Amino acid sequence: MKEKFYITTAIAYTSGKPHIGNTYEAVLADAIARHKRLLGYDVYFQTGTDEHGEKIELKAKNNEKECQEFVDEVSDEIKNIWKKLNISYDKFVRTTESHHKEIVQKIFKKLYDQGDIYLDNYEGYYCIPCESFWTESQLIDGKCPDCDREVELRKEPAYFFKLKKYEKELNSYIKEHPDFIYPKIRENEMINNFLKPGLEDLCVSRTSFKWGIPVPFDDKHVIYVWLDALTNYITNIGYDPDDDNETFNKLWPCDLHVVGKDIVRFHTIYWPIFLMALGLPLPKRVFGHPWVLAGAEKMSKSKGNVLYADELCDKYGVDVVRYCYLHEISFANDGTITEDILIERNNSDLANTLGNLVNRTIVMVNKYFDGKVMRNIEDNPLDNDLRSYMESLNEKICQKMDELKIQEATELILTACRKCNKYIDENEPWALAKSEEKMDRLNTVLYNLIQSIRIIAINLQAFLPDTANKILKLINIDDKTYISSKQFDTDSDEIRTNKEEILFKRIQ
Ligand code: MSP
């Protein structure tokens, strides 16, 4: 039986069209999910939209729409962007679906009945965009410490969750599971900024607006949007506090939550504590990825520096956008994406290095050998070096992927392309083609290049699936398995090429 791998993204707010920062995560998680599938895992990849809360209620009102109509439209728009970006999710969840709402209410009731949720009064400073309450001492210059926007003083009766009760257990869990919060820098942030100062009980209901899931036994209150949103990871795979469920038992605990660094706090403090209270095992890993910046700053509509992934895909092609996401942002540090960077990467890495390698190799096979190269293994140091490098490529990529260093994995592919281009320069096939007695050597050189391109394309599938498939089609390869990429030669003695095709056009 295949081992399961359950991976999720955060669910995006339906407050408006997501910018390239929000969509980055979907591509990142998609590359990991595709990679795991290629390794033979039974992958379940879940993403979706987070549709409740005051911010969304206000947005709908500003757009003169009913809340449900508004979130239906935005959720569809997000789904379309995911489609354009080639996100291979298995399930797209929505928090306004009735099944999710029903289970969230059951969870709230269970936690209340067992004494983990209690009614009290809340007085504090509320930040609407972040849907977060802050104490006066947490404010920075009187503003929200997360987003630097204005906050309002509010007092309201509210339900509270006993976070403090589970603090010790969470601290021990984090200590005993060094892989839980990734990378280390995020774990340190959580420990220093939240766990060391100590946790306060968490306000988990609101009365100041209506657009949310009602508290089942007190409908003046709606359930705090983060309690509603976080539980999407279990409500949609069959969790029910009153029933055992086979799918849930198979998929839970989640193997990897992929979330932005700004919401690691919710996923590594609140979420594990909710799960502890429900008596459920905790997720194996939370990957807090860095931010995508547009220029020197975080993207935001109010700053007017927003780029949208679907527009960039239309302009430059989906794999150029995917490539820049994966190659420009490291696992720990923020990275920048601008149109200039997209053009530069398209021209240098994709058109000149990868595209040119594939194109000129196929052109030569078609021109000198009528589209067919034959296996011929020579004991030549240049060939031996290329062969052993290519045979180890998959292992090196897998190592990087295990460490979630996706940028470095994509760079290995580029290095492999550069190695092939160097091999071309060293062997000068155009010079070999000039003399009849060097045709055997020319065949060997081109055969080695085609096999290397096959191995590169197989490894490229997780990152740029369309391009990888195009290349494999050009050289008539059906076996796209990772295992096959660990062997330099294929079973067949010959490889046939089709008419060459430009993979990436240079952009002026
Ligand atoms: N709805 C919450 C998540 C709930 S998960 C149970 C949310 N939504 S969001 O739309 O604001 O963000 C979606 C994801 O995009 C989050 O993981 C967030 O951290 C990430 N990003 C938002 N802006 C980003 C960048 N500029 N760069 C990279 N990721 C960023 O938070």
Side-chain angles (χ1 to χ4, degrees):
M1 229 186 38
K2 285 180 170 183
E3 197 180 327
K4 67 92 185 173
F5 188 81
Y6 177 27
I7 174 171
T8 70
T9 66
I11 47 172
Y13 282 129
T14 48
S15 42
K17 180 173 175 173
H19 56 62
I20 60 163
N22 307 114
T23 41
Y24 163 64
E25 184 171 298
V27 174
L28 182 67
D30 182 65
I32 300 168
R34 286 178 187 270
H35 168 74
K36 286 285 179 186
R37 284 193 201 104
L38 284 159
L39 279 174
Y41 282 82
D42 181 6
V43 172
Y44 189 77
F45 173 17
Q46 183 171 290
T47 181
T49 42
D50 183 356
E51 307 188 2
H52 292 126
E54 187 165 12
K55 183 169 49 173
I56 292 170
E57 191 180 84
L58 286 172
K59 278 273 160 89
K61 210 169 170 190
N62 291 343
N63 282 276
E64 292 172 6
K65 297 216 161 121
E66 290 298 321
C67 289
Q68 190 62 52
E69 184 193 358
F70 181 73
V71 297
D72 284 349
E73 283 175 13
V74 180
S75 182
D76 271 353
E77 188 172 34
I78 293 175
K79 227 182 197 174
N80 285 333
I81 298 175
W82 272 209
K83 195 167 165 203
K84 199 157 255 183
L85 284 165
N86 233 335
I87 308 302
S88 62
Y89 60 79
D90 297 288
K91 174 102 179 166
F92 190 98
V93 304
R94 298 187 54 189
T95 54
T96 52
E97 274 163 9
S98 56
H99 177 73
H100 170 79
K101 293 196 277 192
E102 181 199 331
I103 303 295
V104 171
Q105 287 186 320
K106 276 193 181 183
I107 289 172
F108 197 94
K109 172 103 178 25
K110 177 182 163 77
L111 296 173
Y112 180 76
D113 288 347
Q114 72 189 35
D116 281 326
I117 287 180
Y118 59 92
L119 186 63
D120 204 339
N121 268 306
Y122 196 89
E123 190 170 345
Y125 293 88
Y126 194 64
C127 172
I128 300 176
C130 295
E131 307 276 9
S132 288
F133 267 114
W134 302 101
T135 59
E136 191 163 9
S137 64
Q138 286 173 315
L139 301 179
I140 298 177
D141 297 332
K143 291 187 180 160
C144 171
D146 263 3
C147 74
D148 196 31
R149 279 179 271 213
E150 297 296 334
V151 289
E152 302 177 6
L153 184 62
R154 288 187 177 181
K155 183 174 180 181
E156 55 186 50
Y159 288 90
F160 284 81
F161 180 92
K162 289 184 179 167
L163 272 194
K164 262 207 284 257
K165 175 178 159 191
Y166 294 94
E167 187 172 358
K168 222 168 136 199
E169 208 179 318
L170 179 65
N171 270 308
S172 320
Y173 185 86
I174 292 174
K175 229 179 247 149
E176 284 157 21
H177 297 83
D179 287 340
F180 175 52
I181 309 177
Y182 185 85
K184 207 74 202 155
I185 175 182
R186 306 283 164 244
E187 182 187 309
N188 293 340
E189 283 166 4
M190 291 306 113
I191 293 174
N192 294 330
N193 301 347
F194 300 104
L195 292 168
K196 275 200 182 137
L199 299 178
E200 295 295 329
D201 285 355
L202 178 71
C203 179
V204 288
S205 76
R206 304 284 186 265
T207 50
S208 53
F209 64 96
K210 282 270 158 254
W211 185 239
I213 303 175
V215 170
F217 44 86
D218 187 352
D219 63 10
K220 286 190 295 302
H221 297 254
V222 293
I223 295 172
Y224 176 41
V225 68
W226 274 100
L227 178 54
D228 161 1
L230 286 163
T231 54
N232 92 83
Y233 303 129
I234 54 175
T235 59
N236 283 288
I237 56 164
Y239 175 72
D240 184 329
D242 303 330
D243 263 322
D244 208 30
N245 179 286
E246 207 181 313
T247 310
F248 178 70
N249 293 341
K250 179 186 143 192
L251 290 175
W252 195 258
C254 179
D255 295 271
L256 185 64
H257 288 310
V258 180
V259 303
K261 65 178 185 181
D262 50 325
I263 59 167
V264 170
R265 167 167 70 105
F266 298 93
H267 285 80
T268 60
I269 296 178
Y270 301 167
W271 181 224
I273 288 183
F274 294 154
L275 290 165
M276 282 172 185
L278 293 171
L280 295 174
L282 306 196
K284 292 187 193 151
R285 197 170 230 198
V286 176
F287 175 21
H289 63 73
W291 276 336
V292 177
L293 308 174
E297 293 175 317
K298 193 179 173 203
M299 231 169 307
S300 84
K301 276 191 194 150
S302 53
K303 288 181 188 141
N305 58 357
V306 183
L307 291 171
Y308 297 103
D310 55 337
E311 292 169 10
L312 294 175
C313 286
D314 290 341
K315 204 161 162 190
Y316 300 107
V318 54
D319 278 356
V320 178
V321 177
R322 285 181 66 109
Y323 179 76
C324 282
Y325 269 149
L326 299 172
H327 186 265
E328 295 306 297
I329 324 288
S330 83
F331 72 106
N333 301 316
D334 295 346
T336 304
I337 293 198
T338 60
E339 292 205 51
D340 284 348
I341 290 174
L342 278 161
I343 293 171
E344 154 67 19
R345 288 288 151 217
N346 174 76
N347 290 352
S348 64
D349 295 2
L350 298 174
N352 276 2
T353 306
L354 170 66
N356 191 29
L357 164 68
V358 175
N359 187 264
R360 64 179 171 154
T361 305
I362 294 179
V363 164
M364 287 190 281
V365 175
N366 290 345
K367 181 170 164 195
Y368 301 134
F369 296 106
D370 210 14
K372 185 172 85 177
V373 279
M374 303 298 293
R375 170 163 46 205
N376 187 27
I377 303 171
E378 289 177 27
D379 188 15
N380 172 310
L382 292 178
D383 298 7
N384 295 344
D385 180 47
L386 185 73
R387 292 176 72 95
S388 64
Y389 186 85
M390 290 301 159
E391 283 185 334
S392 68
L393 182 62
N394 184 255
E395 198 184 321
K396 288 194 195 118
I397 288 178
C398 290
Q399 258 171 24
K400 293 295 178 197
M401 293 302 282
D402 279 350
E403 296 168 42
L404 299 173
K405 294 181 176 164
I406 288 79
Q407 179 192 43
E408 293 175 32
T410 59
E411 184 54 30
L412 282 170
I413 299 225
L414 251 265
T415 310
C417 294
R418 288 191 198 106
K419 190 125 188 136
C420 292
N421 282 326
K422 187 161 166 253
Y423 179 83
I424 296 181
D425 295 342
E426 286 165 344
N427 282 286
E428 300 187 331
W430 49 87
L432 297 174
K434 284 189 183 137
S435 68
E436 194 54 43
E437 71 269 21
K438 292 193 176 146
M439 288 314 266
D440 272 358
R441 177 64 193 152
L442 179 59
N443 168 74
T444 309
V445 168
L446 294 178
Y447 170 82
N448 287 340
L449 285 167
I450 291 284
Q451 290 293 22
S452 302
I453 288 170
R454 174 184 65 84
I455 291 171
I456 288 169
I458 290 174
N459 282 293
L460 193 62
Q461 290 176 97
F463 313 111
L464 311 186
D466 283 352
T467 303
N469 279 323
K470 255 192 218 164
I471 299 173
L472 292 166
K473 224 169 166 183
L474 281 171
I475 56 173
N476 295 298
I477 298 297
D478 294 327
D479 187 353
K480 302 175 182 178
T481 57
Y482 264 179
I483 288 187
S484 70
S485 82
K486 293 176 192 227
Q487 274 181 351
F488 194 79
D489 302 294
T490 35
D491 289 344
S492 165
D493 284 345
E494 61 175 48
I495 295 193
R496 288 180 179 272
T497 53
N498 297 327
K499 182 154 174 38
E500 65 276 4
E501 199 183 300
I502 301 289
L503 295 174
F504 298 96
K505 289 201 184 83
R506 285 184 59 83
I507 304 163
Q508 293 310 320

